[in-house]
């Protein structure tokens, strides 16, 4: 297991459109991608570029979204997860499990087109962690 760079901070929002306005107005964000749907992950997604990482705005795709419960508890939205890159997702998931952490499901393809997996917030002091395999060529 080798900890890689902070790829993104996931921020749940009831409205990506409204959040984009806020990031432009209050933070001066200039490079903001086009929002897109990821039905397989139950979210709509939009990336806001910061110089050293990205903010991943996520809005529920439908009522079965994994972030629906979070938004019921936090109706205005909020910081939802942090995503660290790892060289090998299967090795990282096995390492987590071997050390007693709760890996949520099997690796699947995430918003950057590489495999991701989530680790339960109880294993990280209340912070939901996403692991993402470093895209080929970024090593
Ligand atoms: C865009 C695609 C992809 C990418 O490529 O980047 C993504 O980022 S997708 C992001 C959305 N997908 C996921 O979050 C998938 C993994 N998440 C889950 O499996 C669940 O959300 C969860 C973490 C297991 C929580 O399940 P849920 O049923 O929503 O919550 P509970 O109500 O049962 O809560 C249990 C417990 O956990 C606390 N909690 C819930 N969400 C978070 C969170 N984001 N951060 C911190 N803590 C969280 C919740 O408050 C409960 O705590 P207690 O009340 O103390 O038990
Ligand atoms: Co994410």
């Amino acid at each position: 297991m080798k900890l890689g760079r902070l790829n993104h901070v996931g921020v749940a929002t009831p409205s990506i459109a409204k959040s984009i306005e806020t990031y432009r107005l209050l933070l001066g964000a200039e490079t903001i991608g086009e929002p897109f749907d990821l039905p397989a992950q139950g979210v709509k997604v939009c990336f806001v570029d910061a110089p050293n990482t990205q903010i991943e705005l996520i809005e529920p795709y439908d009522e079965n979204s994994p972030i629906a419960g979070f938004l019921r508890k936090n109706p205005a939205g909020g910081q939802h997860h942090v995503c660290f890159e790892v060289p090998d997702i299967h090795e990282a998931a096995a390492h987590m499990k071997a050390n007693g952490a709760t890996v949520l499901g099997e690796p699947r393809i995430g918003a950057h087109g590489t495999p991701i997996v989530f680790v339960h917030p109880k294993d990280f002091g209340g912070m939901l962690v996403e692991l993402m395999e470093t895209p080929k060529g970024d090593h």
Side-chain angles (χ1 to χ4, degrees):
M1 174 70 191
K2 186 166 181 286
L3 178 64
R5 63 186 283 274
L6 174 67
N7 183 275
H8 64 262
V9 176
V11 175
T13 172
S15 167
I16 283 178
K18 283 193 182 145
S19 292
I20 288 174
E21 286 174 22
T22 304
Y23 277 76
R24 281 218 173 95
L25 178 69
L26 296 185
L27 283 173
E30 290 177 343
T31 311
I32 301 179
E34 275 300 310
F36 58 99
D37 294 344
L38 262 186
Q41 303 290 345
V43 289
K44 303 173 182 182
V45 193
C46 175
F47 285 107
V48 178
D49 285 355
N52 58 344
T53 191
Q54 290 183 308
I55 302 300
E56 179 184 74
L57 299 172
I58 45 176
E59 181 186 318
Y61 179 74
D62 58 25
E63 65 276 9
N64 298 319
S65 173
I67 66 169
F70 182 91
L71 282 172
R72 270 194 295 278
K73 285 185 184 168
N74 308 278
Q79 189 265 311
H80 181 263
H81 65 270
V82 294
C83 175
F84 296 109
E85 293 185 12
V86 293
D88 181 317
I89 200 76
H90 293 283
E91 188 266 331
H95 174 84
M96 292 285 155
K97 288 179 191 170
N99 285 282
T102 300
V103 174
L104 300 162
E106 293 299 314
R108 63 248 193 209
I109 299 299
H112 288 85
T114 68
I116 60 168
V117 78
F118 287 85
V119 185
H120 200 281
K122 70 182 166 70
D123 296 313
F124 284 99
M127 179 177 79
L128 177 61
V129 168
E130 177 184 345
L131 302 173
M132 169 187 154
E133 193 162 285
T134 305
K136 301 283 176 249
D138 288 5
H139 288 280

